[in-house]
Amino acid sequence: MTEPRTFAEKVLGKWAGRPVKAGDVVTVEPHFCMSHDNAAPIARTFKKIGVSRVFDPNRIVFILDHAVPAPSDNHAQNHKEIREFVREQGIPHFFDVTSKGGVCHQKMCEEGYALPGLIMIGSDSHTCTYGAFGAFSTGIGRSEMAAAWATGKIWFRVPESMKITVTGSFPKGVSAKDLILKIIGDIGADGADYMSVEFHGEGILQMSLSERMTLCNMGIEMGAKNAVCPPDQKVLDHVRDIAKSDQWEAIWADQGATYAKELSYCLSELVPGVAKPHTVDNYAPVDQVKGAQIHQAFIGSCTNGRIEDLREAATILKGRQVAVRTIVIPASWRVYRQAMEEGLLETFLDAGCVISNPGCGPCMGNHQGILAPGETCISTANRNFKGRMGNKDSFIYLASPLTVAASAVAGEIADPREVL
């Protein structure tokens, strides 16, 4: 009888073709390789390798999102090179600057690429988002991605695993973003360094797929190699009719598996929280920072730009006016269209918000909401490092859509429970 194994040990072992344990080195074939605007420099590296064709064009996905439409001639050149590479290599999975695109991680999940039990790699650190659907999914470097395109192989050291058990239900005004900010604040930015973080418990099973995506998206902010939730019936119902591969399989950790660390959280004990400048692990309950002045609010990103996030923000903003400039960016055009049909965009416009096209925009300081020196933004995104929103002398607080919307109305950091 084999020893009980973690999720990472089971998935990597399956695709390596042998039983493995934490610390082993495996070579596997990625099922999907995702790149965004950085596909251009990766393509240049690929061409230096001396291989004329990518290993399998059907397994490569390009999604333009970091700077769309192109805000500079450099970005436009980048996009041009990507389009040329797509034509040259015959890559069918390409999301250009059209009304079919959006933020890469949102598109990978809503289009059926993120699937249980698959090996997914992306040239973006938040590729760990796809673990919400039970995939082993991780971000890699540009040179590593070029090599993967050429060889169709990638090696991993099988990570140790951390088990986070979640029980209870969210109180009013509290959401998945508050949970993940609290976890990162507790264990630190390197608390899960090169670990596979598994989310367990009834609290996770009660969460929507959107909420699970928020948790897994920020796994990298505690150093995790990957983060993953159980591939339960919600996942299976989502992927069944849209799956872009038939190789997926619902795989989960064995009972009794060995973990390097174990943590537990009760959702009913949580309060709204923020990550203070300038690190994601600089956590504080909202009442400790309430009243801090802000100049901008941002609702969007791959962390919190989904329809559920927009609905939450709209519950706060409906019938109210924002006191600071407030930028709303749906995570994809599909989300944008749904928000339009539900009347959410009208709510945002009536409140005084600016709605921008789907993309990353201000989250990483390219355009659509860069800060001036000395300005402070409260954001639903995933990073608040110095200069992250385009200026090294600005300040960023991270929070949930509810907290960001409440703060936008108040003109200062506010507790959403008081508004609700």
Side-chain angles (χ1 to χ4, degrees):
M1 185 174 173
T2 58
E3 285 183 34
R5 291 174 294 159
T6 65
F7 168 81
E9 289 169 338
K10 290 180 75 171
V11 171
L12 291 174
K14 174 184 176 177
W15 297 110
R18 60 185 172 85
V20 301
K21 62 184 186 301
D24 290 351
V25 173
V26 297
T27 300
V28 293
E29 184 174 304
H31 296 91
F32 289 111
C33 308
M34 189 283 301
S35 293
H36 45 62
D37 304 46
N38 64 15
I42 297 170
R44 290 177 217 135
T45 301
F46 171 81
K47 289 174 181 177
K48 292 177 185 175
I49 293 173
V51 177
S52 61
R53 309 295 298 176
V54 297
F55 81 104
D56 184 349
N58 290 300
R59 294 200 179 196
I60 294 173
V61 186
F62 289 166
I63 304 168
L64 300 187
D65 67 352
H66 271 45
V68 294
S72 71
D73 57 347
N74 286 336
H75 289 106
Q77 176 62 30
N78 225 32
H79 293 174
K80 180 184 177 186
E81 290 181 28
I82 292 167
R83 294 180 187 113
E84 290 171 349
F85 190 78
V86 165
R87 285 194 295 270
E88 172 191 308
Q89 297 291 330
I91 294 169
H93 305 295
F94 176 47
F95 294 85
D96 203 341
V97 185
T98 73
S99 61
K100 308 297 182 188
V103 181
C104 61
H105 306 307
Q106 177 69 17
K107 293 306 297 178
M108 291 295 287
C109 295
E110 72 181 25
E111 295 289 341
Y113 296 100
L115 296 167
L118 295 194
I119 307 293
M120 316 262 307
I121 57 175
S123 51
D124 185 281
S125 54
H126 294 105
T127 299
C128 48
T129 305
Y130 319 151
F133 299 84
F136 182 91
S137 188
T138 190
I140 63 172
R142 296 180 181 186
S143 298
E144 200 172 13
M145 183 60 83
W149 291 356
T151 65
K153 302 288 183 184
I154 188 165
W155 70 269
F156 294 113
R157 176 168 58 83
V158 180
E160 291 185 306
S161 295
M162 174 187 290
K163 182 179 183 180
I164 300 179
T165 302
V166 181
T167 56
S169 301
F170 287 118
K172 192 172 187 179
V174 181
S175 69
K177 184 64 161 289
D178 299 300
L179 170 61
I180 194 63
L181 290 177
K182 170 69 171 154
I183 293 171
I184 296 167
D186 286 348
I187 70 174
D190 60 354
D193 213 15
Y194 203 89
M195 286 187 176
S196 174
V197 173
E198 295 178 6
F199 290 102
H200 289 249
E202 283 302 313
I204 299 297
L205 297 177
Q206 289 175 25
M207 288 186 198
S208 67
L209 298 180
S210 176
E211 290 172 312
R212 299 179 200 182
M213 286 172 69
T214 297
L215 297 182
C216 292
N217 175 271
M218 295 190 69
I220 187 62
E221 308 308 334
M222 50 183 162
K225 184 66 174 175
N226 71 292
V228 65
C229 295
D232 63 357
Q233 195 61 45
K234 288 178 186 176
V235 173
L236 302 184
D237 290 344
H238 172 83
V239 305
R240 187 170 289 113
D241 295 330
I242 62 171
K244 292 293 194 293
S245 168
D246 60 4
Q247 293 188 284
W248 66 272
E249 178 189 354
I251 296 173
W252 191 235
D254 294 328
Q255 200 152 6
T258 301
Y259 294 93
K261 292 183 185 178
E262 294 195 39
L263 303 171
S264 60
Y265 288 85
C266 180
L267 298 179
S268 61
E269 297 172 0
L270 294 178
V271 298
V274 303
K276 300 183 293 183
H278 291 285
T279 58
V280 183
D281 59 359
N282 192 13
Y283 173 83
V286 74
D287 60 6
Q288 290 185 14
V289 294
K290 197 166 68 170
Q293 184 186 13
I294 59 171
H295 304 90
Q296 178 172 298
F298 169 51
I299 299 166
S301 82
C302 59
T303 314
N304 282 123
R306 284 172 282 285
I307 192 66
E308 291 179 24
D309 303 311
L310 301 187
R311 286 173 186 152
E312 288 189 347
T315 62
I316 299 275
L317 294 171
K318 191 169 183 65
R320 297 185 172 95
Q321 289 293 304
V322 296
V324 296
R325 61 183 189 269
T326 301
I327 299 163
V328 179
I329 303 183
S332 72
W333 283 105
R334 186 179 296 181
V335 174
Y336 190 108
R337 189 181 295 275
Q338 188 171 350
M340 180 172 63
E341 291 168 354
E342 293 184 15
L344 303 181
L345 300 189
E346 188 174 9
T347 295
F348 297 140
L349 292 174
D350 289 346
C353 303
V354 170
I355 303 168
S356 293
N357 63 277
C360 299
C363 173
M364 34 81 70
N366 268 337
H367 61 156
Q368 296 177 321
I370 289 171
L371 300 176
E375 286 192 322
T376 297
C377 180
I378 187 164
S379 165
T380 64
N382 44 43
R383 286 188 173 155
N384 60 347
F385 310 147
K386 270 195 171 190
R388 175 70 178 183
M389 292 187 77
N391 186 284
K392 63 181 175 57
D393 296 316
S394 62
F395 304 86
I396 306 166
Y397 288 82
L398 303 179
S400 73
L402 288 169
T403 301
V404 171
S407 303
V409 170
E412 59 189 29
I413 296 180
D415 188 332
R417 295 172 298 183
E418 296 174 6
V419 182
L420 290 167

